[in-house]
Amino acid sequence: MSILFGFIITLASLLGGFTALGGHIGVIWQPWEFVIIAGMALGIYIVANPWKVVIDTGVATVQALAVAVPKQRHYLDLLGLLHALMREVRNKGRNEVEEHIDDPSSSEIFKNFPTVLANDPLAHFVCDYFRLIIMGSARPHEIESLMDEEIETIVRSKLKPYNSLIVVAEGLPALGIVAAVLGVIKAMGSLDQSPRLLGGLIGAALVGTFAGIFLSYGLVAPLAHKIKMVREQRCRLYVIVKQTLLAFMNGALPQIAIEHGRKMIGPGERPSIDVVENETISGGIAKGGSTEQVARAGARA
């Protein structure tokens, strides 16, 4: 809701200030100027990007408007899952562990951590690297290098909507000039009309320049940066997996390894050590580690 609240403040300040200066809002309302600018921007965006990116931009916009970033529950589920799988690797045979990572949707361990199971790319990321660990042939520095490359690829893919929208934001002022020039051309065709009518036509033309600049810096660019912030926070889950598994491969106990992952969580959402310990002992929300219990543990911490 914060992004909508911000847009409301922006529009209220713009229209309120214009009205206070003696302007008439009706002069700004030139729908065809907005149609020209928005239509050209949309068409150029579709030309410049594959349909997959266009569709993902819609998804990213919804995520940005909803501020769909991982919450503490998501982090706790991820750390709890990693802890449970690491204990399986230490205490059981390869075949028993493979049952969980080959089909996570049927795994009792994964079912205990529903937010991870619902995130298919993240679940498969975890399974892929646990599979490499139990195979035992890859060295920690090799897996680290592979993880870095994959995470970089994931982040680059997730930020395509941001990069595309930034290009549109940079081009919108120029598109506004195009709309203004078209308005001026129309006004030049009415030079024989009264000064009052001619002034209205020129004013309507200048709305194109205003609209292009406003849409660029007041709407598209802020939305793009919000998308970037949300997507980067969602990709942070992969970094947590990376640091946890690297610590485990280098000899750390599961409880110590998840502490490496916990440190990758931002201060605002990072659960305390006691909360994480309670989560790993309870075995996740499905085994009695309810949100209320976790909250109580956090209060005690």
Side-chain angles (χ1 to χ4, degrees):
M1 293 299 293
S2 62
I3 188 170
L4 294 177
F5 184 62
F7 283 145
I8 290 172
I9 292 175
T10 301
L11 287 173
S13 301
L14 171 70
L15 299 178
F18 180 69
T19 303
L21 290 172
H24 300 285
I25 295 180
V27 176
I28 299 178
W29 180 242
Q30 301 294 335
W32 291 113
E33 293 283 333
F34 288 93
V35 168
I36 292 171
I37 297 169
M40 287 193 299
L42 178 60
I44 292 169
Y45 186 81
I46 292 174
V47 169
N49 297 283
W51 275 111
K52 184 177 181 180
V53 175
V54 175
I55 295 172
D56 191 36
T57 300
V59 175
T61 300
V62 173
Q63 291 175 345
L65 292 174
V67 194
V69 297
K71 304 298 190 293
Q72 191 174 96
R73 178 75 260 160
H74 296 85
Y75 295 125
L76 288 172
D77 273 5
L78 180 57
L79 293 174
L81 172 66
L82 294 174
H83 181 269
L85 289 175
M86 288 186 293
R87 290 190 63 183
E88 290 287 306
V89 171
R90 284 177 58 88
N91 301 328
K92 296 185 179 180
R94 173 175 172 175
N95 291 336
E96 294 176 89
V97 178
E98 283 183 335
E99 292 177 1
H100 298 289
I101 61 178
D102 285 343
D103 187 12
S105 61
S106 302
S107 167
E108 291 301 320
I109 291 179
F110 275 86
K111 288 179 181 178
N112 290 335
F113 306 98
T115 63
V116 180
L117 189 58
N119 189 339
D120 283 341
L122 180 63
H124 284 97
F125 183 85
V126 171
C127 292
D128 287 346
Y129 287 99
F130 266 102
R131 187 174 289 108
L132 289 177
I133 290 174
I134 63 176
M135 287 171 63
S137 59
R139 301 174 183 175
H141 72 272
E142 293 174 338
I143 291 185
E144 180 178 10
S145 178
L146 182 59
M147 280 184 169
D148 286 338
E149 291 293 332
E150 184 171 0
I151 291 173
E152 183 180 348
T153 300
I154 292 171
V155 172
R156 187 164 55 245
S157 175
K158 293 297 184 182
L159 292 185
K160 284 181 179 179
Y162 160 75
N163 294 322
S164 301
L165 286 177
I166 284 296
V167 172
V168 172
E170 291 173 349
L172 275 170
L175 296 180
I177 294 174
V178 171
V181 169
L182 291 176
V184 171
I185 292 173
K186 177 186 175 183
M188 290 299 100
S190 305
L191 287 176
D192 58 338
Q193 302 297 318
S194 66
R196 181 182 181 85
L197 178 61
L198 187 60
L201 292 174
I202 294 175
L206 292 176
V207 169
T209 303
F210 150 75
I213 296 173
F214 173 74
L215 290 174
S216 173
Y217 298 106
L219 179 63
V220 177
L223 176 62
H225 283 285
K226 192 73 171 183
I227 287 173
K228 181 182 180 182
M229 183 205 74
V230 170
R231 284 290 173 92
E232 285 181 340
Q233 285 189 254
R234 293 171 71 90
C235 290
R236 199 68 187 166
L237 295 170
Y238 295 92
V239 179
I240 295 171
V241 175
K242 170 195 164 185
Q243 294 299 336
T244 302
L245 294 188
L246 288 177
F248 179 65
M249 291 184 69
N250 283 311
L253 294 173
Q255 199 66 36
I256 301 300
I258 63 171
E259 179 63 14
H260 286 250
R262 188 183 74 90
K263 291 296 185 181
M264 295 298 103
I265 304 172
E269 295 294 336
R270 182 188 300 164
S272 69
I273 296 176
D274 288 346
V275 171
V276 174
E277 183 178 354
N278 177 80
E279 183 74 8
T280 54
I281 291 174
S282 68
I285 198 169
K287 289 188 178 180
S290 66
T291 303
E292 291 77 9
Q293 287 176 317
V294 172
R296 288 197 295 270
R300 290 196 300 270

